Coordinates of all heavy atoms in Angstrom, one line a residue:
Chain A
D2 N -30.6 26.7 -21.8 CA -30.4 26.5 -20.3 C -30.7 25.0 -20.0 O -29.9 24.4 -19.3 CB -31.4 27.4 -19.6 CG -30.8 27.6 -18.2 OD1 -29.6 27.6 -18.0 OD2 -31.7 27.8 -17.2
Y9 N -25.0 18.5 -17.7 CA -24.5 18.4 -16.4 C -25.0 17.1 -15.7 O -24.3 16.4 -15.1 CB -24.8 19.6 -15.5 CG -24.0 20.8 -15.8 CD1 -24.5 22.1 -15.4 CD2 -22.8 20.7 -16.3 CE1 -23.8 23.2 -15.6 CE2 -22.0 21.9 -16.6 CZ -22.5 23.1 -16.2 OH -21.8 24.3 -16.5
S24 N -14.1 0.1 -9.9 CA -14.0 -0.7 -8.7 C -13.7 -2.2 -9.0 O -13.6 -3.0 -8.2 CB -15.2 -0.6 -7.8 OG -16.3 -1.0 -8.4
M40 N -16.5 14.6 -18.2 CA -15.7 15.8 -17.9 C -15.6 16.8 -19.1 O -15.8 18.0 -19.0 CB -14.3 15.4 -17.4 CG -13.5 16.6 -16.9 SD -14.1 17.1 -15.3 CE -13.6 15.8 -14.2
E50 N -22.8 28.8 -20.3 CA -23.5 29.3 -19.1 C -23.7 30.8 -19.3 O -22.9 31.5 -19.9 CB -22.7 29.1 -17.9 CG -22.6 27.7 -17.4 CD -23.4 27.4 -16.2 OE1 -24.2 28.3 -15.8 OE2 -23.2 26.4 -15.6
N59 N -12.4 37.5 -21.8 CA -12.4 36.5 -20.7 C -12.3 35.1 -21.3 O -11.6 34.2 -20.9 CB -13.6 36.6 -19.8 CG -13.4 37.7 -18.8 OD1 -12.4 38.3 -18.7 ND2 -14.5 38.0 -18.1
I63 N -9.7 32.2 -20.7 CA -10.0 30.9 -20.2 C -9.3 29.8 -21.1 O -8.7 28.9 -20.6 CB -11.5 30.6 -20.3 CG1 -12.3 31.5 -19.3 CG2 -11.9 29.2 -20.1 CD1 -13.8 31.5 -19.4
A78 N 2.4 14.2 -16.2 CA 1.8 12.9 -15.9 C 2.3 11.9 -16.8 O 2.4 10.7 -16.5 CB 0.3 13.1 -16.0
K79 N 2.6 12.2 -18.1 CA 3.1 11.2 -19.0 C 4.6 10.8 -18.7 O 5.0 9.7 -18.9 CB 3.1 11.8 -20.4 CG 1.8 11.7 -21.1 CD 1.6 10.3 -21.7 CE 0.2 10.2 -22.4 NZ -0.2 8.9 -22.6
V81 N 6.3 11.0 -15.7 CA 6.7 10.6 -14.4 C 6.8 9.1 -14.3 O 6.1 8.4 -14.9 CB 5.6 11.2 -13.3 CG1 4.3 10.4 -13.5 CG2 6.1 11.0 -11.9
M83 N 6.4 5.4 -12.7 CA 5.3 4.8 -12.0 C 5.5 4.9 -10.5 O 4.6 5.1 -9.7 CB 5.2 3.4 -12.4 CG 3.9 3.0 -13.1 SD 2.7 4.1 -12.8 CE 1.6 4.1 -14.1
N94 N -4.1 16.9 -7.0 CA -5.2 17.1 -6.0 C -5.1 18.5 -5.4 O -6.1 19.2 -5.3 CB -5.1 16.1 -4.9 CG -6.0 16.3 -3.8 OD1 -7.2 16.5 -4.0 ND2 -5.5 16.4 -2.6
G97 N -6.6 21.1 -7.7 CA -8.0 21.1 -7.6 C -8.4 21.9 -6.4 O -9.4 22.8 -6.4
V107 N -12.7 34.7 -6.0 CA -13.3 35.6 -7.0 C -14.7 36.0 -6.5 O -15.1 37.2 -6.5 CB -13.5 34.9 -8.4 CG1 -14.3 35.8 -9.3 CG2 -12.1 34.6 -9.0
N226 N -7.5 14.6 -0.6 CA -8.3 14.3 -1.8 C -9.8 14.5 -1.4 O -10.6 15.1 -2.1 CB -8.0 12.9 -2.2 CG -8.7 12.5 -3.5 OD1 -8.8 13.4 -4.4 ND2 -9.1 11.3 -3.6
Y238 N -22.3 24.6 -4.7 CA -23.5 25.2 -4.1 C -23.5 26.7 -4.4 O -24.6 27.3 -4.8 CB -23.6 25.0 -2.6 CG -24.9 25.6 -2.0 CD1 -26.1 24.9 -2.1 CD2 -24.8 26.8 -1.4 CE1 -27.2 25.5 -1.6 CE2 -26.0 27.4 -0.9 CZ -27.2 26.7 -1.0 OH -28.3 27.3 -0.5
N242 N -24.4 24.9 -9.1 CA -24.0 23.9 -10.1 C -24.1 22.5 -9.5 O -23.3 22.1 -8.7 CB -22.6 24.2 -10.6 CG -22.2 23.3 -11.8 OD1 -22.4 22.1 -11.8 ND2 -21.7 23.9 -12.8
T250 N -19.1 15.9 -3.7 CA -19.6 15.1 -2.5 C -19.2 13.7 -2.6 O -18.8 13.0 -1.7 CB -21.1 15.3 -2.3 OG1 -21.4 16.7 -2.4 CG2 -21.5 14.7 -1.0
S254 N -16.9 11.8 0.1 CA -17.3 10.6 1.0 C -16.4 9.4 0.6 O -15.9 8.7 1.5 CB -18.8 10.3 0.9 OG -19.1 9.7 -0.3
L258 N -13.8 7.5 3.2 CA -13.8 6.0 3.5 C -12.4 5.5 3.2 O -11.9 4.7 4.0 CB -14.8 5.3 2.6 CG -14.9 3.8 2.7 CD1 -15.2 3.4 4.2 CD2 -15.9 3.2 1.8
P356 N -2.0 2.6 -0.6 CA -2.6 1.2 -0.8 C -2.6 1.0 -2.3 O -3.0 1.8 -3.1 CB -4.0 1.4 -0.3 CG -4.0 2.7 0.5 CD -2.9 3.5 0.0
N360 N 0.7 -3.2 -6.2 CA 0.0 -3.9 -7.2 C 0.2 -3.2 -8.5 O 0.3 -3.8 -9.6 CB -1.5 -3.8 -6.8 CG -1.8 -4.3 -5.5 OD1 -1.6 -3.6 -4.5 ND2 -2.1 -5.6 -5.3
Chain B
M1 N -30.9 29.3 -15.3 CA -30.3 28.4 -14.3 C -31.3 27.8 -13.4 O -32.3 28.5 -13.0 CB -29.3 29.3 -13.5 CG -28.4 28.4 -12.7 SD -27.0 29.3 -12.1 CE -26.0 29.5 -13.5
F13 N -26.6 16.5 -1.5 CA -25.4 16.3 -0.7 C -25.5 15.0 0.0 O -24.6 14.1 -0.1 CB -25.3 17.4 0.3 CG -24.0 17.5 1.0 CD1 -22.8 18.0 0.4 CD2 -23.8 17.0 2.3 CE1 -21.6 18.1 1.0 CE2 -22.6 17.1 2.9 CZ -21.5 17.6 2.3
A17 N -23.3 11.6 -0.9 CA -22.3 11.1 0.1 C -22.5 9.6 0.2 O -21.5 8.9 0.2 CB -22.6 11.8 1.5
G20 N -21.1 7.8 -2.9 CA -19.6 7.7 -2.9 C -19.1 6.6 -1.9 O -18.2 5.9 -2.3
Y21 N -19.8 6.6 -0.8 CA -19.4 5.6 0.2 C -19.7 4.2 -0.3 O -18.8 3.3 -0.2 CB -20.2 5.8 1.5 CG -19.7 5.2 2.7 CD1 -18.8 5.8 3.5 CD2 -20.1 3.9 3.1 CE1 -18.3 5.3 4.7 CE2 -19.6 3.3 4.2 CZ -18.7 4.0 5.0 OH -18.2 3.4 6.1
I24 N -17.2 3.0 -3.3 CA -15.8 2.6 -3.0 C -15.7 1.5 -2.0 O -14.7 0.8 -1.9 CB -15.1 3.9 -2.5 CG1 -13.6 3.7 -2.9 CG2 -15.2 4.0 -1.0 CD1 -12.8 5.0 -2.8
P28 N -11.5 -3.7 -4.4 CA -10.4 -4.5 -3.9 C -9.1 -3.6 -3.6 O -9.0 -2.6 -4.3 CB -10.1 -5.5 -5.0 CG -10.7 -4.8 -6.3 CD -11.8 -4.0 -5.8
I30 N -6.2 -3.8 -4.5 CA -5.3 -3.6 -5.6 C -5.7 -2.3 -6.4 O -4.8 -1.8 -7.1 CB -5.1 -4.8 -6.6 CG1 -6.5 -5.1 -7.2 CG2 -4.6 -6.0 -5.9 CD1 -6.3 -6.0 -8.5
T33 N -5.1 2.7 -5.2 CA -4.3 3.8 -5.7 C -5.0 4.3 -7.0 O -5.2 5.5 -7.1 CB -2.8 3.5 -5.9 OG1 -2.3 3.2 -4.7 CG2 -2.1 4.7 -6.5
S39 N -10.8 9.3 -8.4 CA -11.6 10.2 -7.7 C -11.0 11.6 -7.7 O -11.7 12.6 -7.7 CB -11.9 9.8 -6.3 OG -10.7 9.6 -5.5
N40 N -9.7 11.6 -7.7 CA -8.9 12.9 -7.8 C -9.3 13.6 -9.1 O -9.5 14.8 -9.2 CB -7.4 12.6 -7.7 CG -6.6 13.8 -7.9 OD1 -6.9 14.9 -7.5 ND2 -5.4 13.6 -8.4
F41 N -9.4 12.7 -10.2 CA -9.8 13.3 -11.5 C -11.2 13.9 -11.4 O -11.4 14.9 -12.0 CB -9.7 12.2 -12.6 CG -10.4 12.5 -13.8 CD1 -10.0 13.5 -14.7 CD2 -11.6 11.8 -14.2 CE1 -10.7 13.8 -15.8 CE2 -12.3 12.1 -15.3 CZ -11.8 13.1 -16.1
H43 N -12.9 15.2 -9.1 CA -13.1 16.6 -8.5 C -12.5 17.6 -9.4 O -12.6 18.8 -9.1 CB -12.8 16.7 -7.1 CG -11.4 16.5 -6.6 ND1 -10.4 17.2 -7.2 CD2 -10.8 15.7 -5.7 CE1 -9.2 16.8 -6.6 NE2 -9.5 15.9 -5.7
V48 N -15.4 23.3 -14.4 CA -16.6 24.0 -14.8 C -16.9 25.2 -14.0 O -17.2 26.3 -14.6 CB -17.8 23.0 -14.6 CG1 -19.1 23.7 -14.8 CG2 -17.7 21.8 -15.6
V53 N -16.8 31.2 -13.4 CA -16.4 32.4 -12.6 C -15.5 33.3 -13.4 O -15.6 34.5 -13.4 CB -15.7 31.9 -11.3 CG1 -14.7 32.9 -10.8 CG2 -16.7 31.5 -10.3
M54 N -14.6 32.7 -14.1 CA -13.7 33.5 -15.0 C -14.5 34.2 -16.1 O -14.2 35.4 -16.4 CB -12.6 32.5 -15.6 CG -11.7 33.2 -16.6 SD -10.5 34.2 -15.8 CE -9.9 35.2 -17.2
G55 N -15.5 33.5 -16.6 CA -16.3 34.2 -17.7 C -17.0 35.4 -17.2 O -17.1 36.4 -17.9
A57 N -15.8 37.4 -14.8 CA -14.9 38.3 -14.1 C -15.0 39.7 -14.7 O -15.1 39.8 -15.9 CB -13.5 37.7 -14.2
Q63 N -10.0 38.8 -12.8 CA -9.5 38.1 -14.0 C -8.3 37.3 -13.6 O -8.1 36.1 -14.0 CB -9.2 39.0 -15.1 CG -10.5 39.5 -15.9 CD -10.1 40.4 -17.0 OE1 -9.2 41.2 -16.9 NE2 -10.9 40.3 -18.1
N76 N -5.7 19.8 -12.7 CA -6.3 18.8 -11.9 C -7.0 17.7 -12.8 O -6.7 16.5 -12.7 CB -7.3 19.4 -10.9 CG -8.0 18.4 -10.0 OD1 -8.8 18.7 -9.2 ND2 -7.6 17.1 -10.0
R86 N -2.8 5.8 -17.1 CA -1.5 5.1 -17.1 C -1.5 3.9 -16.0 O -1.0 2.9 -16.3 CB -0.4 6.1 -16.7 CG 0.1 6.8 -17.9 CD 1.3 7.6 -17.6 NE 2.5 6.7 -17.3 CZ 3.6 7.2 -16.7 NH1 3.8 8.5 -16.6 NH2 4.6 6.4 -16.4
M90 N -2.1 -0.8 -16.9 CA -1.3 -1.9 -16.4 C -2.2 -3.1 -16.0 O -1.7 -4.2 -15.9 CB -0.5 -1.5 -15.2 CG 0.5 -0.6 -15.7 SD 1.2 0.3 -14.4 CE 2.0 1.5 -15.3

Side-chain angles (χ1 to χ4, degrees):
Chain A
D2 206 32
Y9 284 158
S24 62
M40 189 70 75
E50 287 250 13
N59 282 354
I63 291 172
K79 276 280 179 196
V81 70
M83 247 337 157
N94 172 52
V107 173
N226 187 35
Y238 180 82
N242 187 312
T250 311
S254 72
L258 178 61
N360 309 79
Chain B
M1 191 165 289
F13 191 78
Y21 197 90
I24 211 165
I30 63 163
T33 298
S39 60
N40 178 32
F41 162 69
H43 65 53
V48 168
V53 157
M54 173 75 197
Q63 283 182 322
N76 181 184
R86 275 190 63 190
M90 290 163 193

